[in-house]
Amino acid sequence: MPGSSMSSSKLQAMDLSGFIVSSFHRFTGLKLIFLLAFIFKVLPHAAAYDPLDPTGNITIKWDVMSWTPDGYVAAVTMSNFQMYRNIMSPGWTLGWEWAKKEVIWTMVGAQTTEQGDCSKFKGNTPHCCKKNPTVVDLLPGVPYNQQFSNCCKGGVVASWGQDPSSSVSAFQVSVGLAGTSNKTLKLPKNFTLLGPGPGYTCGPAKVVPSTVFLSPDRRRKTQALMTWNVTCTYSQFLVSRNPTCCVSFSSFYNNTITSCPSCACGCQNKRNCIKPNSKQAHKAGVNTPKKDNTPLLQCTHHMCPIRVHWHVKLNYKDYWRVKIAVTNFNYRLNYTMWTLVAQHPNLNNVTQVFSFDYKPLVPYQSINDTGMFYGMKFYNDLLMEAGPQGNIQSEVLLHKDQNTFTLKHGWAFPRKVYFNGDECMLPPPDTYPILPNSAYVNQRAFSTVAITVFFMVLFIE
């Protein structure tokens, strides 16, 4: 309204708050309980949205390449469009449920973990007769006639931001007892993806325009007979209610080290942890992974598998220097193709990164404050299990913007830190290293200035 003292946004906020209050007044008794239960059921799913990678997902594409007498042959391609979340060893596991009584006659580039009951078939036996097959990638080095393009990597898939050429995994499947045309074929349903553990939620299969393929000489185009997509998104909340990593801080201008918060990753493993200098830490088999991937942690106050330490090392006239160290406290897990993501306003002026590879991430084109660090191939792209070799470190040189740079109020420390795609717990802001209250005074310099001022006053008089 012209002449009104309130903005339209404030009026809308008041209307919204009034609606919520009135709604709670109307929903009484059991209705209110059901409403609250619905809210708490829906809220956790919001964790699937990642503000640093808003469009990140894994897309599984099925391309029907040919029809067979009782079904079809499809090429299944899994593309990891996440910028910094990879699938490391022991790799992905893909599952779904058939819409009818389909079977898998053959597979190339992958295999099902179980064959199921195929006793009703005489002669040729299908590869899998289960209603809900579980598929895994083949290991490297399988015979050539069992390979398919982008297959056979043990299920390991790099993130799109780290290595686009290794962010794809694929296999071929021949399906029987299925539809033999676009009208009679029924799409699989209830897709599941482990990568390698829980965390991914897959949507329903959706028919999309058929994929177009180019010949090797790029002079001829062919297309799939039918294509459908399945999109899977990641939620850290589904993996664990507690973080899987924490962050500690230190600086050259303060002797205090801000450590990770106590029980930052939960203390449920505290009874089974191993003291670093105990005999049990050097016992044979301590580094053998378990089938359920349960961690065996080194005893710490934070009880996190991963700790990231950010140290403000030096302050030059036009530059400043940061040292980053990552330590693995899990005796049973090596991190392959690890990634470290940090959000800081001065990452738009990174001058040099030592012993890590670095790539800026710009999820929002107007803001460049996020970057991804990852290991150099064959040098430090493998973070070893807990022990003397279980750490990696690097230094970062950043150019100062004199208008924004400061060492006050924790500005020199990151706003967010992710390791392998999971957000790490930061220390409370009031515990960050702070500048000392008073600086050292050079008495000789002070005396020289005082004498100079004294003689200037005499000269003026």
Side-chain angles (χ1 to χ4, degrees), residues 63-67 72-73 182 210-211 213 223-227:
D63 290 311
V64 176
M65 306 305 295
S66 62
W67 301 111
Y72 59 91
V73 176
N182 292 20
S210 297
T211 304
F213 304 96
Q223 71 178 47
L225 304 177
M226 184 179 183
T227 300

Side-chain angles (χ1 to χ4, degrees), residues 250-255 311-315 321 407 435:
S250 62
S251 64
F252 70 90
Y253 53 79
N254 194 314
N255 293 329
H311 174 66
V312 180
K313 186 176 182 180
L314 291 168
N315 183 21
R321 198 179 186 102
L407 293 175
L435 288 168

Side-chain angles (χ1 to χ4, degrees), residues 150-350:
N150 293 309
C151 85
C152 314
K153 297 178 285 188
V156 175
V157 183
S159 62
W160 180 263
Q162 186 175 3
D163 186 3
S165 63
S166 301
S167 64
V168 178
S169 185
F171 60 89
Q172 181 179 282
V173 58
S174 177
V175 182
L177 304 184
T180 56
S181 69
N182 292 20
K183 293 183 179 179
T184 58
L185 187 150
K186 298 293 183 182
L187 305 186
K189 55 186 180 180
N190 298 333
F191 280 85
T192 59
L193 175 64
L194 298 178
Y200 287 96
T201 302
C202 299
K206 295 183 178 179
V207 177
V208 295
S210 297
T211 304
V212 176
F213 304 96
L214 282 174
S215 60
D217 60 4
R218 306 185 68 85
R219 300 175 64 189
R220 172 177 164 79
K221 291 182 180 180
T222 57
Q223 71 178 47
L225 304 177
M226 184 179 183
T227 300
W228 62 86
N229 282 351
V230 178
T231 303
C232 303
T233 55
Y234 183 85
S235 170
Q236 187 175 342
F237 185 84
L238 296 177
V239 180
S240 173
R241 291 182 178 272
N242 299 306
T244 57
C245 53
C246 65
V247 184
S248 57
F249 295 141
S250 62
S251 64
F252 70 90
Y253 53 79
N254 194 314
N255 293 329
T256 303
I257 296 178
T258 303
S259 59
C260 289
S262 296
C263 293
C265 300
C267 283
Q268 61 269 25
N269 295 316
K270 199 141 194 172
R271 294 181 180 179
N272 301 322
C273 66
I274 296 179
K275 295 182 179 179
N277 297 322
S278 65
K279 293 182 179 179
Q280 193 177 0
H282 306 283
K283 189 177 179 181
V286 70
N287 300 124
T288 304
K290 297 295 183 181
K291 290 184 178 179
D292 57 357
N293 292 324
T294 54
L296 181 60
L297 300 182
Q298 188 179 112
C299 294
T300 58
H301 73 280
H302 52 76
M303 292 306 295
C304 288
I306 293 291
R307 183 193 66 199
V308 180
H309 186 74
W310 180 284
H311 174 66
V312 180
K313 186 176 182 180
L314 291 168
N315 183 21
Y316 307 109
K317 180 181 178 182
D318 295 319
Y319 299 90
W320 62 297
R321 198 179 186 102
V322 170
K323 182 176 182 178
I324 301 173
V326 183
T327 306
N328 184 5
F329 293 100
N330 189 353
Y331 285 96
R332 290 177 178 163
L333 184 61
N334 294 328
Y335 288 89
T336 58
M337 297 191 308
W338 59 268
T339 60
L340 176 68
V341 173
Q343 185 182 38
H344 189 280
N346 212 170
L347 286 177
N348 61 346
N349 276 323
V350 173

